[in-house]
PDB file of all heavy atoms in Angstrom:
ATOM      1  N   ASP A 301       8.330   7.392  -9.582  1.00 90.00           N
ATOM      2  CA  ASP A 301       8.677   7.159 -10.991  1.00 90.00           C
ATOM      3  C   ASP A 301       7.458   7.398 -11.874  1.00 90.00           C
ATOM      4  O   ASP A 301       7.584   7.807 -13.025  1.00 90.00           O
ATOM      5  CB  ASP A 301       9.156   5.719 -11.207  1.00 90.00           C
ATOM      6  CG  ASP A 301      10.506   5.448 -10.558  1.00 90.00           C
ATOM      7  OD1 ASP A 301      11.062   6.352  -9.916  1.00 90.00           O
ATOM      8  OD2 ASP A 301      11.009   4.320 -10.701  1.00 90.00           O
ATOM      9  N   SER A 344       3.889  22.878  -8.174  1.00 96.00           N
ATOM     10  CA  SER A 344       4.546  22.094  -7.125  1.00 96.00           C
ATOM     11  C   SER A 344       5.071  20.751  -7.627  1.00 96.00           C
ATOM     12  O   SER A 344       5.482  19.911  -6.832  1.00 96.00           O
ATOM     13  CB  SER A 344       3.561  21.862  -5.974  1.00 96.00           C
ATOM     14  OG  SER A 344       2.429  21.136  -6.436  1.00 96.00           O
ATOM     15  N   LYS A 349      14.482  15.511 -16.201  1.00 94.00           N
ATOM     16  CA  LYS A 349      14.696  14.973 -17.549  1.00 94.00           C
ATOM     17  C   LYS A 349      15.073  13.497 -17.488  1.00 94.00           C
ATOM     18  O   LYS A 349      15.796  13.056 -16.593  1.00 94.00           O
ATOM     19  CB  LYS A 349      15.779  15.776 -18.275  1.00 94.00           C
ATOM     20  CG  LYS A 349      17.132  15.820 -17.585  1.00 94.00           C
ATOM     21  CD  LYS A 349      18.070  16.747 -18.343  1.00 94.00           C
ATOM     22  CE  LYS A 349      19.418  16.878 -17.629  1.00 94.00           C
ATOM     23  NZ  LYS A 349      20.325  17.821 -18.331  1.00 94.00           N
ATOM     24  N   TYR A 366      21.639  12.331 -11.809  1.00 80.00           N
ATOM     25  CA  TYR A 366      21.077  12.560 -10.484  1.00 80.00           C
ATOM     26  C   TYR A 366      21.454  13.937  -9.937  1.00 80.00           C
ATOM     27  O   TYR A 366      21.085  14.294  -8.828  1.00 80.00           O
ATOM     28  CB  TYR A 366      21.512  11.449  -9.523  1.00 80.00           C
ATOM     29  CG  TYR A 366      20.697  10.189  -9.728  1.00 80.00           C
ATOM     30  CD1 TYR A 366      21.171   9.163 -10.527  1.00 80.00           C
ATOM     31  CD2 TYR A 366      19.441  10.054  -9.157  1.00 80.00           C
ATOM     32  CE1 TYR A 366      20.412   8.016 -10.747  1.00 80.00           C
ATOM     33  CE2 TYR A 366      18.672   8.917  -9.373  1.00 80.00           C
ATOM     34  CZ  TYR A 366      19.163   7.902 -10.170  1.00 80.00           C
ATOM     35  OH  TYR A 366      18.403   6.779 -10.388  1.00 80.00           O
ATOM     36  N   LEU A 374      14.853  21.643  -4.264  1.00 97.00           N
ATOM     37  CA  LEU A 374      14.103  20.892  -3.255  1.00 97.00           C
ATOM     38  C   LEU A 374      14.919  20.704  -1.977  1.00 97.00           C
ATOM     39  O   LEU A 374      14.376  20.724  -0.875  1.00 97.00           O
ATOM     40  CB  LEU A 374      13.680  19.529  -3.827  1.00 97.00           C
ATOM     41  CG  LEU A 374      12.551  19.581  -4.857  1.00 97.00           C
ATOM     42  CD1 LEU A 374      12.405  18.238  -5.562  1.00 97.00           C
ATOM     43  CD2 LEU A 374      11.237  19.982  -4.198  1.00 97.00           C
ATOM     44  N   ILE A 382       9.970  13.072   3.665  1.00 98.00           N
ATOM     45  CA  ILE A 382      10.064  12.604   2.284  1.00 98.00           C
ATOM     46  C   ILE A 382       9.324  11.273   2.197  1.00 98.00           C
ATOM     47  O   ILE A 382       9.535  10.382   3.022  1.00 98.00           O
ATOM     48  CB  ILE A 382      11.527  12.439   1.838  1.00 98.00           C
ATOM     49  CG1 ILE A 382      12.239  13.782   1.927  1.00 98.00           C
ATOM     50  CG2 ILE A 382      11.608  11.881   0.413  1.00 98.00           C
ATOM     51  CD1 ILE A 382      13.742  13.691   1.807  1.00 98.00           C
ATOM     52  N   THR A 411       4.207  -2.686  -4.815  1.00 82.00           N
ATOM     53  CA  THR A 411       4.227  -3.779  -5.791  1.00 82.00           C
ATOM     54  C   THR A 411       4.972  -4.997  -5.285  1.00 82.00           C
ATOM     55  O   THR A 411       6.097  -4.884  -4.781  1.00 82.00           O
ATOM     56  CB  THR A 411       4.893  -3.294  -7.106  1.00 82.00           C
ATOM     57  OG1 THR A 411       4.241  -2.100  -7.544  1.00 82.00           O
ATOM     58  CG2 THR A 411       4.789  -4.350  -8.191  1.00 82.00           C
ATOM     59  N   THR A 449      -1.592  -3.477   2.589  1.00 93.00           N
ATOM     60  CA  THR A 449      -2.374  -4.590   3.155  1.00 93.00           C
ATOM     61  C   THR A 449      -1.470  -5.497   3.995  1.00 93.00           C
ATOM     62  O   THR A 449      -0.236  -5.418   3.930  1.00 93.00           O
ATOM     63  CB  THR A 449      -2.993  -5.460   2.034  1.00 93.00           C
ATOM     64  OG1 THR A 449      -1.937  -5.938   1.195  1.00 93.00           O
ATOM     65  CG2 THR A 449      -4.007  -4.689   1.211  1.00 93.00           C
ATOM     66  N   LYS A 451      -1.077  -8.514   3.391  1.00 92.00           N
ATOM     67  CA  LYS A 451      -0.382  -9.336   2.399  1.00 92.00           C
ATOM     68  C   LYS A 451       1.010  -8.789   2.112  1.00 92.00           C
ATOM     69  O   LYS A 451       1.985  -9.535   2.057  1.00 92.00           O
ATOM     70  CB  LYS A 451      -1.203  -9.395   1.106  1.00 92.00           C
ATOM     71  CG  LYS A 451      -0.535 -10.140  -0.038  1.00 92.00           C
ATOM     72  CD  LYS A 451      -1.399 -10.087  -1.294  1.00 92.00           C
ATOM     73  CE  LYS A 451      -0.731 -10.796  -2.465  1.00 92.00           C
ATOM     74  NZ  LYS A 451      -1.588 -10.765  -3.686  1.00 92.00           N
ATOM     75  N   GLN A 483     -31.120   4.961 -15.380  1.00 95.00           N
ATOM     76  CA  GLN A 483     -31.379   3.769 -16.174  1.00 95.00           C
ATOM     77  C   GLN A 483     -31.260   4.073 -17.670  1.00 95.00           C
ATOM     78  O   GLN A 483     -30.713   3.273 -18.437  1.00 95.00           O
ATOM     79  CB  GLN A 483     -32.768   3.213 -15.857  1.00 95.00           C
ATOM     80  CG  GLN A 483     -33.064   1.857 -16.472  1.00 95.00           C
ATOM     81  CD  GLN A 483     -32.106   0.770 -15.992  1.00 95.00           C
ATOM     82  OE1 GLN A 483     -31.559   0.834 -14.886  1.00 95.00           O
ATOM     83  NE2 GLN A 483     -31.864  -0.220 -16.841  1.00 95.00           N
ATOM     84  N   LEU A 493     -21.469   0.778 -26.339  1.00 97.00           N
ATOM     85  CA  LEU A 493     -20.451  -0.278 -26.272  1.00 97.00           C
ATOM     86  C   LEU A 493     -20.850  -1.515 -27.093  1.00 97.00           C
ATOM     87  O   LEU A 493     -20.121  -2.508 -27.106  1.00 97.00           O
ATOM     88  CB  LEU A 493     -20.219  -0.687 -24.812  1.00 97.00           C
ATOM     89  CG  LEU A 493     -19.528   0.360 -23.932  1.00 97.00           C
ATOM     90  CD1 LEU A 493     -19.652  -0.003 -22.458  1.00 97.00           C
ATOM     91  CD2 LEU A 493     -18.067   0.504 -24.319  1.00 97.00           C
ATOM     92  N   ASN A 513      -3.590 -12.344 -15.277  1.00 94.00           N
ATOM     93  CA  ASN A 513      -4.224 -13.665 -15.448  1.00 94.00           C
ATOM     94  C   ASN A 513      -5.580 -13.607 -16.147  1.00 94.00           C
ATOM     95  O   ASN A 513      -6.471 -14.415 -15.876  1.00 94.00           O
ATOM     96  CB  ASN A 513      -4.369 -14.333 -14.074  1.00 94.00           C
ATOM     97  CG  ASN A 513      -4.401 -15.848 -14.168  1.00 94.00           C
ATOM     98  OD1 ASN A 513      -3.983 -16.427 -15.173  1.00 94.00           O
ATOM     99  ND2 ASN A 513      -4.910 -16.490 -13.133  1.00 94.00           N
ATOM    100  N   ALA A 522     -15.532 -18.677 -21.730  1.00 98.00           N
ATOM    101  CA  ALA A 522     -15.881 -19.512 -22.882  1.00 98.00           C
ATOM    102  C   ALA A 522     -16.722 -20.707 -22.444  1.00 98.00           C
ATOM    103  O   ALA A 522     -17.673 -21.107 -23.130  1.00 98.00           O
ATOM    104  CB  ALA A 522     -14.619 -19.980 -23.591  1.00 98.00           C
ATOM    105  N   HIS A 523     -16.405 -21.252 -21.295  1.00 97.00           N
ATOM    106  CA  HIS A 523     -17.177 -22.389 -20.773  1.00 97.00           C
ATOM    107  C   HIS A 523     -18.569 -21.939 -20.337  1.00 97.00           C
ATOM    108  O   HIS A 523     -19.559 -22.654 -20.576  1.00 97.00           O
ATOM    109  CB  HIS A 523     -16.422 -23.019 -19.592  1.00 97.00           C
ATOM    110  CG  HIS A 523     -17.031 -24.288 -19.101  1.00 97.00           C
ATOM    111  ND1 HIS A 523     -16.740 -25.523 -19.647  1.00 97.00           N
ATOM    112  CD2 HIS A 523     -17.948 -24.520 -18.126  1.00 97.00           C
ATOM    113  CE1 HIS A 523     -17.430 -26.452 -19.022  1.00 97.00           C
ATOM    114  NE2 HIS A 523     -18.175 -25.872 -18.092  1.00 97.00           N
ATOM    115  N   LEU A 525     -20.367 -19.647 -21.612  1.00 98.00           N
ATOM    116  CA  LEU A 525     -21.187 -19.394 -22.798  1.00 98.00           C
ATOM    117  C   LEU A 525     -21.887 -20.658 -23.317  1.00 98.00           C
ATOM    118  O   LEU A 525     -22.913 -20.554 -24.001  1.00 98.00           O
ATOM    119  CB  LEU A 525     -20.329 -18.796 -23.912  1.00 98.00           C
ATOM    120  CG  LEU A 525     -19.891 -17.333 -23.726  1.00 98.00           C
ATOM    121  CD1 LEU A 525     -18.862 -16.952 -24.785  1.00 98.00           C
ATOM    122  CD2 LEU A 525     -21.093 -16.396 -23.788  1.00 98.00           C
ATOM    123  N   MET A 563      -7.948   1.966 -23.233  1.00 93.00           N
ATOM    124  CA  MET A 563      -7.858   2.884 -22.100  1.00 93.00           C
ATOM    125  C   MET A 563      -9.024   3.874 -22.118  1.00 93.00           C
ATOM    126  O   MET A 563      -9.426   4.353 -23.175  1.00 93.00           O
ATOM    127  CB  MET A 563      -6.533   3.654 -22.164  1.00 93.00           C
ATOM    128  CG  MET A 563      -6.225   4.453 -20.912  1.00 93.00           C
ATOM    129  SD  MET A 563      -6.014   3.411 -19.437  1.00 93.00           S
ATOM    130  CE  MET A 563      -4.550   2.497 -19.896  1.00 93.00           C
ATOM    131  N   GLN A 570     -16.318   5.212 -13.594  1.00 97.00           N
ATOM    132  CA  GLN A 570     -17.535   4.789 -12.898  1.00 97.00           C
ATOM    133  C   GLN A 570     -18.641   4.421 -13.883  1.00 97.00           C
ATOM    134  O   GLN A 570     -19.474   3.545 -13.597  1.00 97.00           O
ATOM    135  CB  GLN A 570     -18.003   5.867 -11.911  1.00 97.00           C
ATOM    136  CG  GLN A 570     -18.552   7.142 -12.518  1.00 97.00           C
ATOM    137  CD  GLN A 570     -17.483   8.130 -12.921  1.00 97.00           C
ATOM    138  OE1 GLN A 570     -16.296   7.844 -12.801  1.00 97.00           O
ATOM    139  NE2 GLN A 570     -17.895   9.296 -13.381  1.00 97.00           N
ATOM    140  N   VAL A 578     -21.403  -7.887 -12.744  1.00 98.00           N
ATOM    141  CA  VAL A 578     -20.511  -8.490 -11.760  1.00 98.00           C
ATOM    142  C   VAL A 578     -19.066  -8.182 -12.165  1.00 98.00           C
ATOM    143  O   VAL A 578     -18.716  -8.211 -13.347  1.00 98.00           O
ATOM    144  CB  VAL A 578     -20.740 -10.015 -11.630  1.00 98.00           C
ATOM    145  CG1 VAL A 578     -20.605 -10.717 -12.983  1.00 98.00           C
ATOM    146  CG2 VAL A 578     -19.780 -10.637 -10.616  1.00 98.00           C
ATOM    147  N   ASN A 581     -12.170 -10.982 -11.457  1.00 97.00           N
ATOM    148  CA  ASN A 581     -10.723 -10.795 -11.509  1.00 97.00           C
ATOM    149  C   ASN A 581     -10.040 -12.098 -11.115  1.00 97.00           C
ATOM    150  O   ASN A 581     -10.471 -12.765 -10.169  1.00 97.00           O
ATOM    151  CB  ASN A 581     -10.295  -9.659 -10.571  1.00 97.00           C
ATOM    152  CG  ASN A 581      -8.958  -9.082 -10.949  1.00 97.00           C
ATOM    153  OD1 ASN A 581      -7.946  -9.768 -10.976  1.00 97.00           O
ATOM    154  ND2 ASN A 581      -8.932  -7.792 -11.254  1.00 97.00           N
ATOM    155  N   GLU A 594     -13.027   0.086  -6.185  1.00 96.00           N
ATOM    156  CA  GLU A 594     -13.823   0.941  -7.061  1.00 96.00           C
ATOM    157  C   GLU A 594     -15.073   0.201  -7.542  1.00 96.00           C
ATOM    158  O   GLU A 594     -16.173   0.777  -7.578  1.00 96.00           O
ATOM    159  CB  GLU A 594     -12.988   1.380  -8.260  1.00 96.00           C
ATOM    160  CG  GLU A 594     -11.902   2.383  -7.917  1.00 96.00           C
ATOM    161  CD  GLU A 594     -11.048   2.765  -9.116  1.00 96.00           C
ATOM    162  OE1 GLU A 594     -11.191   2.119 -10.182  1.00 96.00           O
ATOM    163  OE2 GLU A 594     -10.233   3.693  -8.987  1.00 96.00           O
ATOM    164  N   ASN A 598     -19.088   1.167  -6.773  1.00 98.00           N
ATOM    165  CA  ASN A 598     -20.100   1.351  -7.810  1.00 98.00           C
ATOM    166  C   ASN A 598     -21.251   0.354  -7.680  1.00 98.00           C
ATOM    167  O   ASN A 598     -22.097   0.263  -8.570  1.00 98.00           O
ATOM    168  CB  ASN A 598     -19.459   1.237  -9.187  1.00 98.00           C
ATOM    169  CG  ASN A 598     -18.744   2.511  -9.593  1.00 98.00           C
ATOM    170  OD1 ASN A 598     -19.365   3.460 -10.067  1.00 98.00           O
ATOM    171  ND2 ASN A 598     -17.426   2.552  -9.384  1.00 98.00           N
ATOM    172  N   VAL A 613     -12.273  -6.713   1.559  1.00 95.00           N
ATOM    173  CA  VAL A 613     -13.061  -6.234   0.423  1.00 95.00           C
ATOM    174  C   VAL A 613     -14.229  -7.151   0.094  1.00 95.00           C
ATOM    175  O   VAL A 613     -15.324  -6.689  -0.220  1.00 95.00           O
ATOM    176  CB  VAL A 613     -12.158  -6.059  -0.825  1.00 95.00           C
ATOM    177  CG1 VAL A 613     -12.965  -5.539  -2.006  1.00 95.00           C
ATOM    178  CG2 VAL A 613     -10.995  -5.119  -0.525  1.00 95.00           C
ATOM    179  N   ALA A 632     -20.232 -19.588  -8.326  1.00 98.00           N
ATOM    180  CA  ALA A 632     -20.379 -18.210  -7.864  1.00 98.00           C
ATOM    181  C   ALA A 632     -21.043 -17.336  -8.923  1.00 98.00           C
ATOM    182  O   ALA A 632     -21.972 -16.569  -8.631  1.00 98.00           O
ATOM    183  CB  ALA A 632     -19.006 -17.643  -7.492  1.00 98.00           C
ATOM    184  N   ASP A 658     -12.207   5.575   1.799  1.00 95.00           N
ATOM    185  CA  ASP A 658     -12.264   6.934   1.277  1.00 95.00           C
ATOM    186  C   ASP A 658     -10.879   7.585   1.340  1.00 95.00           C
ATOM    187  O   ASP A 658     -10.125   7.392   2.306  1.00 95.00           O
ATOM    188  CB  ASP A 658     -13.256   7.763   2.087  1.00 95.00           C
ATOM    189  CG  ASP A 658     -13.422   9.146   1.515  1.00 95.00           C
ATOM    190  OD1 ASP A 658     -14.052   9.274   0.464  1.00 95.00           O
ATOM    191  OD2 ASP A 658     -12.886  10.098   2.120  1.00 95.00           O
ATOM    192  N   VAL A 669       1.328   8.717  10.228  1.00 98.00           N
ATOM    193  CA  VAL A 669       2.635   8.072  10.034  1.00 98.00           C
ATOM    194  C   VAL A 669       3.731   9.131   9.995  1.00 98.00           C
ATOM    195  O   VAL A 669       4.793   8.977  10.615  1.00 98.00           O
ATOM    196  CB  VAL A 669       2.649   7.233   8.745  1.00 98.00           C
ATOM    197  CG1 VAL A 669       4.055   6.691   8.459  1.00 98.00           C
ATOM    198  CG2 VAL A 669       1.664   6.081   8.840  1.00 98.00           C
TER     199      VAL A 669
END
Side-chain angles (χ1 to χ4, degrees):
D301 291 2
S344 61
K349 58 185 177 182
Y366 281 96
L374 287 168
I382 299 167
T411 307
T449 57
K451 176 183 178 179
Q483 189 61 28
L493 291 166
N513 206 19
H523 187 86
L525 287 171
M563 190 63 65
Q570 70 277 3
V578 56
N581 202 300
E594 289 178 351
N598 281 278
V613 181
D658 184 73
V669 174

